[in-house]
Amino acid sequence: MSPAGRPRAFDMEVVLEAAMLLFWEQGYEATSLARLRDATGLSSASLYGAFGSKGGLFERAVEHYIAGPGSVTDAAADEAVSPRAAVARLLHASIDMQTDPSHPPGCLIALSGTVHPPMADEAGARRVVAARRATDRAHIRECVVRGVASGELAEDTDVDGVTSMIHGFLLGVSTQVCDGTPAQVLHAAADAVLAHWDGKGH
């Protein structure tokens, strides 16, 4: 808590939104403290006081992203619908989100922190996004397992192989979006992935 119980002199949601958009646009390594100060309107002292480090701010910005635009991948965890429907919603909703012109293109989780970093602070940033990718992959795998159990997929389906196919496509969407691939082409590609499911592919 701030001295004498005073509330913080800034709106945390506004700061996290600004930081999220900047990290999303530039990636973790390329985002400087100077740019973060400009985007959030906070001084270095305020940033460090509230978040501890650039890595701490990135972690909070990622949490903000996961609760907002990035929540589209939660569709894979919805057991109220069939596993195929959950995967379809995951892929198509992710494409819609990543091609939405109201924010930077692609996915913050897929685009940030993928290169092995030399500094401890950057390693922490990499772990934050890697953890979310692991969660998404686990939810996709659960869909595949449910698909086998429900008869949507063949009993001898290579669960890990199909999981990697779907997750790899999901992660690859970001690169294609940033390279200018139209949304309708990506939706058609997602349907091709789902056709493998419909064919009870192994």
Side-chain angles (χ1 to χ4, degrees):
M1 182 176 292
S2 57
R6 292 194 304 272
R8 294 188 186 279
F10 61 87
D11 186 321
M12 181 65 76
E13 288 298 304
V14 171
V15 167
L16 292 178
E17 180 75 10
M20 176 194 76
L21 292 172
L22 193 58
F23 282 126
W24 194 348
E25 180 182 15
Q26 299 190 344
Y28 179 80
E29 290 83 1
T31 300
S32 67
L33 283 173
R35 289 297 305 276
L36 285 168
R37 288 196 302 268
D38 289 343
T40 62
L42 297 182
S43 65
S44 294
S46 293
L47 282 174
Y48 279 103
F51 305 104
S53 65
K54 174 184 167 182
L57 174 56
F58 179 74
E59 184 171 354
R60 292 292 302 278
V62 169
E63 292 172 355
H64 184 74
Y65 173 85
I66 290 171
S71 65
V72 292
T73 60
D74 290 339
D78 186 0
E79 296 187 3
V81 299
S82 72
R84 186 210 184 271
V87 170
R89 187 180 303 169
L90 163 72
L91 298 182
H92 288 296
S94 293
I95 292 167
D96 285 339
M97 184 278 287
Q98 294 188 49
T99 56
D100 185 339
S102 70
H103 53 61
C107 168
L108 173 62
I109 301 300
L111 295 172
S112 295
T114 56
V115 178
H116 185 67
M119 298 175 62
D121 196 38
E122 294 177 0
R126 184 177 184 275
R127 283 194 296 272
V128 170
V129 290
R132 178 60 180 187
R133 289 194 294 268
T135 296
D136 290 340
R137 182 183 178 89
H139 287 158
I140 291 169
R141 192 179 192 281
E142 290 165 7
C143 281
V144 177
V145 170
R146 286 204 297 128
V148 173
S150 67
E152 284 189 357
L153 294 171
E155 288 185 8
D156 60 347
T157 291
D158 181 343
V159 171
D160 290 329
V162 173
T163 298
S164 288
M165 176 186 70
I166 296 168
H167 192 223
F169 175 84
L170 179 66
L171 293 174
V173 167
S174 285
T175 302
Q176 296 191 65
V177 169
C178 290
D179 284 346
T181 303
Q184 61 266 31
V185 173
L186 294 171
H187 283 299
D191 286 337
V193 173
L194 292 165
H196 178 89
W197 187 296
D198 295 334
K200 296 182 181 287
H202 297 70

